[in-house]
Amino acid sequence: MGDSIKKEEIANDLLDANSAEDNVHHVNNPVLDLPTIEKKYLARVRACSKDRNTFYFTDGIAKVEIRIVSDEIIRVRLAPQGSFLDDFSYAVIDTDQHAVSFSVDEDETSYYVKTNKVICAIRKADFLVSFQDFSGKVFNTDDKPMHWEENPDFGGYYVYCSKKAHEDEAFFGLGDKATNLNLRGKRFKNWNSDTYGYAFNQDPLYKTIPFYIGVTGGEAYGIFFDNTFRTFFDFASENKQRTSFWSEGGEMQYYYIHGPNMIDVVKRYHSITGTHYMPPLWGIGYHQCRWSYYPEQNVRDITAEFRKREIPCDAIYLDIDYMDGYRCFTWDKKYFPDPKKMISDLAANGFKTVVMIDPGIKVDENYWVFKEGQQNRYFCRRGDDYFMEGFVWPGRCQFPDFTNPTVREWWGTLYKGLVDDGVAGFWNDMNEPAVFGRGTFPDDVRHNYDGYRGSHRKAHNIYGMQMVRATYDGLKKLYKNKRPFTITRAAYSGTQRFSSVWTGDNIATWEHLRIGLLQLQRLSVSGLSFCGTDIGGFTGEPDGELFTRWMQFGVFSPFMRVHSAGDTRDREPWSFGPEWEAICKKFIEMRYKLLPYIYTIFWQQHRYGEPILRPISLVEQHIPKNLIREEEFCFGDKILVSPVLNPGQKNKVVYLPEGEWYYYFNLQKYVGLQEHTIDTPLDEMPIFVKGGSIIPEYPVMQYTFQQKIDVLKLNVYFSRGKFDSYTYADHGDTFAYEQSVYAEKHFLLEGTDNSLVILQQVEGLYNERFDDYKIYLIGIPFEVRTVKADGVELNLLKDESGNDYIQVEKDFRNLIIT
Ligand code: MIG
């Protein structure tokens, strides 16, 4: 044991593990039994060796691996007895990125593994690992050597890592935690749980994202603790000077991700865990859901009502009641006698149909899915080889082992019937996995874990991810080159490669509107940008005002869906009377106008790993006060919103980051780097567009692709100085963008007191199906005299409402306005 470790510290650490259990709200989780065995710590470093981009250090028995993943990403692993576990991860897709250079040095005190950006120092006397940049700034350093203790019941180790917490340090990330954005002073547990009607600060919830970002001295780094067992995080809670993370099993294995910009930390986290593919365009329209719309006539009536009232909508959902006795992949023929006909009629009216699929398969000898699963031993089994059985909606069920590649393959094929019926999207629920009564599977259930085998302790947190992965992979084949649309409730890091997510069973209260605002911002910086809440609240009854304010926030939720529990009153946009209906309609229409912008920010997420929702702490991390702002956020990089979170609220204080901002509704200009009090009449909410932006706009359609776009409207928000803006377009439903069939347009704007120059560069092979842009200039400080596009003079035109615009060929290279 290292000399520097004092007895009290060890006691303190054991206490950490104990009180972790006191601070968290229990949801059907077995308690972490503390073994009485003593913790062991890394001791003095005795040797160092190198194998390509990987460096090994040992204290004589234990080994530590330091691997260069890229210039800014370094992976650390610990093998208490010197032999590492198999290098396998469900989350990480790329551990071998480009590094310009790397090397190892040493002096009397330490070894230094260096890239051209980061130095990882390993202190010889006590094995403390730290990360610094070349200016000497230490971003992250061990508070104690990595340590472990044997697990007498399951084998393996409980593994621990303790870091120093800087006095000013703020912490972000960790997925769906229902708490303040800054995690400092709090402690969390990751164990995917079905948490109907969860409360503020309740933990754990549905998802496990063991990734956090630290910001200290205005600069950021990230830690991704890639461990699927029950994991714990303490952010300067037990001890103000310490942040630690630990797990009930597996390996101490984490990635240090250098910034110093928070957005770059998020991008680099995406570079190892992947991004979401481009969703089908309809997937980012407005969706209507309910537990449950049935029978068929009800579905037809609801969808017809949308069209009659001219409220745009792209998708209608069928919750569990469409199935025959809750048997997955079947129809209740009493309620839905001819699903294919219904779905094609809905499609003709612009509605996509999305249905739910759960993991529990009814034990029923006459049910083909059960029979196939049973014959092929596809279902999970207990430690002694008995079936894992549990009660869910269909009654007694068995559960596929989605960690088995053969089972995933099979699961993917089961969707064929529903796909042939015309179903366009799938919603995977209950995949924590949830079991009535006992919460989830017992720990001894065995899993294939892609050949690396493990008990449920190891597979629990990735069960849902592997389920939706199987769903996605299967659909990708069944839809040929069309993009699947999937949603999952449970997730682990990397799930973004296969699915969107929603935040589960929230409540129709104002507090939950705020919780949702926090959760979506947090999910977005945790790699799960395609996220949404049940707009209006799942359980309980919203009044018209709450429902409408939530709908307004919904416009700026990447996934926009109204959903509610079965025992609640109607939740369609018109259910609260004409006054609220008119406002909901206005905002849903706004979503459709913004679609080309929203699609562009999905591309920025897909291609560059940029989060869709950007908390102010991420936008301006260097301003300490911004680290605690949590109501306003940027939607992409050009629009800022601050949802109204209280009944009867007449105005609210909104902080605007640096730059000039235009109030969306009246185009009034506001200066940034300060707070403003903004009126919040019921039919508006604080929405601002950044000066120096180009926001593409579609005409209001009742559903995506309802009509062809003849000219694309571009709203140019003027500001003095130089600015970048992007637009993105592609087929909207195929994977051809992977073969460069897309149009990514890069605009460079330069505004002065008497001129505006816009340069355009186009990348990709996609030819948009319109010829011209219709450009509107907003906030221009001079009288326009001449407009030249690539040297040719153009006239300023006037539209029906008397507004000036410029019509210009879409592939112009430069537009000079003086
Ligand atoms: O035990 O399918 O979170 O969205 O409506 C409840 C019925 C199961 C929970 C989901 C919710 C869904 C509901 N499901």
Side-chain angles (χ1 to χ4, degrees):
M1 184 173 295
D3 310 333
S4 60
I5 307 305
K6 297 191 203 76
K7 278 257 150 40
E8 309 85 86
E9 282 192 293
I10 297 169
N12 213 347
D13 231 32
L14 282 164
L15 216 132
D16 280 8
N18 259 327
S19 48
E21 292 298 313
D22 299 332
N23 287 8
V24 295
H25 195 115
H26 278 291
V27 192
N28 303 321
N29 286 311
V31 174
L32 163 65
D33 277 318
L34 264 184
T36 44
I37 295 165
E38 219 185 342
K39 284 187 183 171
K40 299 213 172 68
Y41 290 75
L42 283 168
R44 161 173 274 279
V45 185
R46 302 214 180 269
C48 160
S49 62
K50 176 186 162 176
D51 175 14
R52 238 171 38 90
N53 60 348
T54 309
F55 302 85
Y56 296 96
F57 300 87
T58 176
D59 65 2
I61 301 168
K63 250 193 198 170
V64 170
E65 181 199 281
I66 307 279
R67 180 191 176 107
I68 311 292
V69 175
S70 74
D71 295 330
E72 296 92 357
I73 305 174
I74 291 178
R75 187 177 77 176
V76 178
R77 297 168 81 194
L78 165 72
Q81 299 301 331
S83 40
F84 291 97
L85 299 178
D86 294 305
D87 195 356
F88 172 77
S89 166
Y90 280 116
V92 172
I93 48 170
D94 189 3
T95 53
D96 246 324
Q97 302 181 20
H98 180 69
V100 173
S101 62
F102 53 82
S103 59
V104 66
D105 283 353
E106 67 176 297
D107 63 14
E108 264 151 51
T109 56
S110 300
Y111 288 98
Y112 304 94
V113 176
K114 297 178 182 172
T115 71
N116 67 339
K117 295 280 167 53
V118 189
I119 303 169
C120 169
I122 300 100
R123 201 154 86 183
K124 290 179 177 173
D126 49 14
F127 232 120
L128 294 188
V129 177
S130 66
F131 299 89
Q132 57 194 68
D133 65 13
F134 280 86
S135 78
K137 172 164 172 173
V138 177
F139 281 76
N140 178 274
T141 184
D142 283 350
D143 187 49
K144 301 177 206 181
M146 285 185 272
H147 44 293
W148 62 91
E149 58 196 284
E150 265 170 54
N151 179 337
D153 300 322
F154 280 86
Y157 301 94
Y158 296 82
V159 290
Y160 301 81
C161 186
S162 304
K163 302 286 188 183
K164 284 204 163 64
H166 298 259
E167 212 173 309
D168 72 326
E169 196 164 352
F171 300 95
F172 302 95
L174 240 56
D176 62 352
K177 305 300 182 193
T179 190
N180 300 89
L181 288 188
N182 183 352
L183 304 169
R184 191 180 176 100
K186 297 183 179 174
R187 179 167 248 196
F188 303 93
K189 168 171 167 175
N190 291 312
W191 186 252
N192 293 354
S193 304
D194 177 3
T195 45
Y196 170 86
Y198 54 92
F200 186 68
N201 275 333
Q202 182 172 330
D203 183 58
L205 300 180
Y206 304 91
K207 299 172 183 68
T208 292
I209 311 293
F211 163 62
Y212 74 86
I213 301 165
V215 181
T216 173
E219 297 191 304
Y221 69 90
I223 296 280
F224 172 40
F225 179 24
D226 188 10
N227 182 307
T228 61
F229 288 76
R230 281 186 190 84
T231 48
F232 299 84
F233 285 79
D234 178 301
F235 298 100
S237 157
E238 180 72 26
N239 176 330
K240 284 196 170 57
Q241 271 117 45
R242 189 163 69 215
T243 281
S244 43
F245 46 93
W246 64 99
S247 175
E248 286 190 10
E251 204 167 57
M252 175 44 65
Q253 167 177 181
Y254 69 89
Y255 293 78
Y256 169 81
I257 305 171
H258 197 62
N261 291 319
M262 200 163 151
I263 192 164
D264 291 324
V265 176
V266 177
K267 286 163 86 161
R268 287 172 190 143
Y269 169 74
H270 273 297
S271 79
I272 52 177
T273 61
T275 61
H276 196 283
Y277 56 99
M278 282 306 285
L281 191 61
W282 67 266
I284 61 171
Y286 171 74
H287 294 187
Q288 183 69 37
C289 185
R290 170 132 185 106
W291 178 12
S292 304
Y293 288 128
Y294 73 92
E296 171 176 334
Q297 195 52 47
N298 180 234
V299 180
R300 288 182 181 273
D301 291 346
I302 296 285
T303 51
E305 201 63 27
F306 271 96
R307 297 299 178 244
K308 197 181 106 206
R309 293 171 188 263
E310 300 189 322
I311 298 174
C313 185
D314 260 285
I316 186 87
Y317 284 58
L318 304 180
D319 204 326
I320 43 177
D321 300 289
Y322 79 90
M323 302 178 207
D324 173 18
Y326 305 117
R327 288 172 189 81
C328 290
F329 310 106
T330 67
W331 288 95
D332 183 320
K333 289 292 171 93
K334 193 162 80 283
Y335 295 145
F336 295 96
D338 189 352
K340 207 169 182 159
K341 173 82 169 65
M342 177 190 77
I343 292 173
S344 86
D345 288 350
L346 294 176
N349 203 10
F351 280 94
K352 300 283 194 272
T353 303
V354 180
V355 307
M356 166 164 289
I357 290 291
D358 283 345
I361 297 300
K362 187 178 179 66
V363 175
D364 171 358
E365 300 297 335
N366 299 315
Y367 169 36
W368 55 284
V369 179
F370 176 72
K371 275 198 321 213
E372 280 183 34
Q374 192 191 38
Q375 278 160 13
N376 295 301
R377 300 178 65 95
Y378 287 161
F379 296 122
C380 294
R381 292 181 175 235
R382 301 289 301 266
D384 293 333
D385 214 35
Y386 198 73
F387 310 106
M388 161 60 215
E389 290 196 337
F391 281 79
V392 219
W393 290 105
R396 193 154 60 92
C397 284
Q398 293 191 15
F399 303 82
D401 182 8
F402 297 111
T403 71
N404 180 337
T406 313
V407 176
R408 285 200 298 272
E409 182 78 30
W410 168 69
W411 185 258
T413 64
L414 297 176
Y415 288 89
K416 180 157 194 316
L418 292 171
V419 168
D420 288 346
D421 289 336
V423 175
F426 291 90
W427 172 23
N428 285 168
D429 185 22
M430 303 289 276
N431 52 358
E432 290 71 30
V435 177
F436 292 163
R438 60 156 305 129
T440 189
F441 297 179
D443 277 351
D444 72 307
V445 167
R446 292 180 294 148
H447 293 272
N448 174 283
Y449 213 92
D450 278 65
Y452 295 96
R453 296 189 304 276
S455 72
H456 195 63
R457 297 164 69 242
K458 174 167 153 186
H460 176 83
N461 284 335
I462 45 85
Y463 187 83
M465 175 194 193
Q466 295 312 304
M467 177 191 185
V468 77
R469 172 188 181 184
T471 300
Y472 171 77
D473 287 345
L475 293 176
K476 203 169 168 185
K477 287 180 200 145
L478 293 166
Y479 288 126
K480 309 282 183 323
N481 191 33
K482 288 263 191 285
R483 302 174 199 167
F485 178 78
T486 47
I487 318 163
T488 178
R489 195 171 69 177
Y492 182 74
S493 292
T495 302
Q496 66 269 15
R497 302 198 299 275
F498 315 111
S499 185
S500 65
V501 299
W502 94 103
T503 58
D505 299 341
N506 60 1
I507 311 177
T509 60
W510 289 92
E511 185 193 28
H512 258 271
L513 172 54
R514 162 185 286 276
I515 292 174
L517 166 73
L518 299 172
Q519 287 182 297
L520 297 197
Q521 290 183 73
R522 186 192 315 293
L523 284 165
S524 210
V525 301
S526 304
L528 296 170
S529 260
F530 196 1
C531 55
T533 64
D534 285 352
I535 295 172
F538 178 71
T539 173
E541 301 290 352
D543 60 9
E545 186 180 2
L546 174 58
F547 182 79
T548 303
R549 289 302 196 188
W550 209 318
M551 187 71 90
Q552 294 175 344
F553 168 52
V555 174
F556 303 95
S557 300
F559 172 50
M560 184 184 186
R561 181 185 72 162
V562 165
H563 181 43
S564 52
D567 56 358
T568 58
R569 287 198 293 271
D570 289 354
R571 291 286 185 84
E572 290 79 44
W574 53 86
S575 306
F576 300 88
E579 182 202 349
W580 304 113
E581 176 186 346
I583 305 173
C584 287
K585 177 174 156 133
K586 168 177 164 179
F587 274 81
I588 295 171
E589 287 177 344
M590 185 190 299
R591 174 86 177 190
Y592 280 77
K593 287 193 208 164
L594 288 173
L595 270 183
Y597 172 76
I598 300 174
Y599 200 53
T600 300
I601 60 183
F602 267 85
W603 175 251
Q604 288 174 306
Q605 180 282 142
H606 166 72
R607 181 171 184 185
Y608 302 104
E610 294 178 11
I612 291 179
L613 300 196
R614 304 174 181 208
I616 297 301
S617 49
L618 176 135
V619 175
E620 282 181 345
Q621 63 186 41
H622 58 282
I623 299 173
K625 207 172 166 197
N626 286 350
L627 301 180
I628 51 164
R629 291 190 193 277
E630 46 186 30
E631 286 195 11
E632 50 281 89
F633 64 85
C634 288
F635 183 61
D637 58 342
K638 306 296 184 206
I639 294 180
L640 177 142
V641 302
S642 185
V644 178
L645 305 175
N646 300 294
Q649 191 164 346
K650 297 275 179 290
N651 55 52
K652 79 175 290 189
V653 174
V654 178
Y655 172 78
L656 297 175
E658 191 171 0
E660 283 184 310
W661 296 85
Y662 289 85
Y663 185 63
Y664 182 82
F665 297 97
N666 64 10
L667 305 179
Q668 192 186 320
K669 239 193 241 186
Y670 290 80
V671 287
L673 271 182
Q674 68 186 71
E675 291 176 344
H676 296 274
T677 301
I678 307 298
D679 285 344
T680 53
L682 290 167
D683 64 343
E684 291 184 11
M685 76 183 265
I687 305 171
F688 294 86
V689 181
K690 194 165 187 194
S693 309
I694 295 188
I695 309 287
E697 184 183 310
Y698 277 173
V700 173
M701 296 189 219
Q702 297 308 300
Y703 52 92
T704 51
F705 294 120
Q706 184 191 19
Q707 68 205 51
K708 186 175 167 289
I709 311 285
D710 302 321
V711 288
L712 181 67
K713 188 169 169 187
L714 296 182
N715 293 311
V716 178
Y717 294 81
F718 179 90
S719 205
R720 286 174 190 79
K722 285 191 180 170
F723 303 91
D724 281 326
S725 238
Y726 290 87
T727 64
Y728 174 84
D730 64 18
H731 289 143
D733 60 353
T734 74
F735 281 99
Y737 68 87
E738 289 179 347
Q739 271 72 52
S740 298
V741 184
Y742 60 76
E744 180 184 306
K745 301 187 154 186
H746 178 201
F747 298 94
L748 203 84
L749 286 77
E750 182 163 10
T752 71
D753 288 339
N754 44 32
S755 70
L756 172 64
V757 177
I758 303 176
L759 307 181
Q760 180 180 224
Q761 270 176 4
V762 184
E763 183 194 306
L765 307 172
Y766 180 67
N767 189 15
E768 290 157 293
R769 291 165 203 165
F770 54 82
D771 297 323
D772 293 342
Y773 293 134
K774 208 171 171 180
I775 297 182
Y776 284 79
L777 303 173
I778 295 159
I780 196 143
F782 56 90
E783 183 89 33
V784 176
R785 287 172 215 281
T786 59
V787 178
K788 274 189 189 164
D790 299 322
V792 178
E793 199 154 325
L794 299 177
N795 289 326
L796 207 56
L797 306 172
K798 266 203 197 321
D799 68 10
E800 321 81 61
S801 351
N803 295 319
D804 293 338
Y805 70 93
I806 297 165
Q807 182 140 351
V808 56
E809 200 256 318
K810 73 165 184 286
D811 290 320
F812 80 83
R813 298 170 134 267
N814 61 70
L815 190 67
I816 301 172
I817 300 154
T818 51

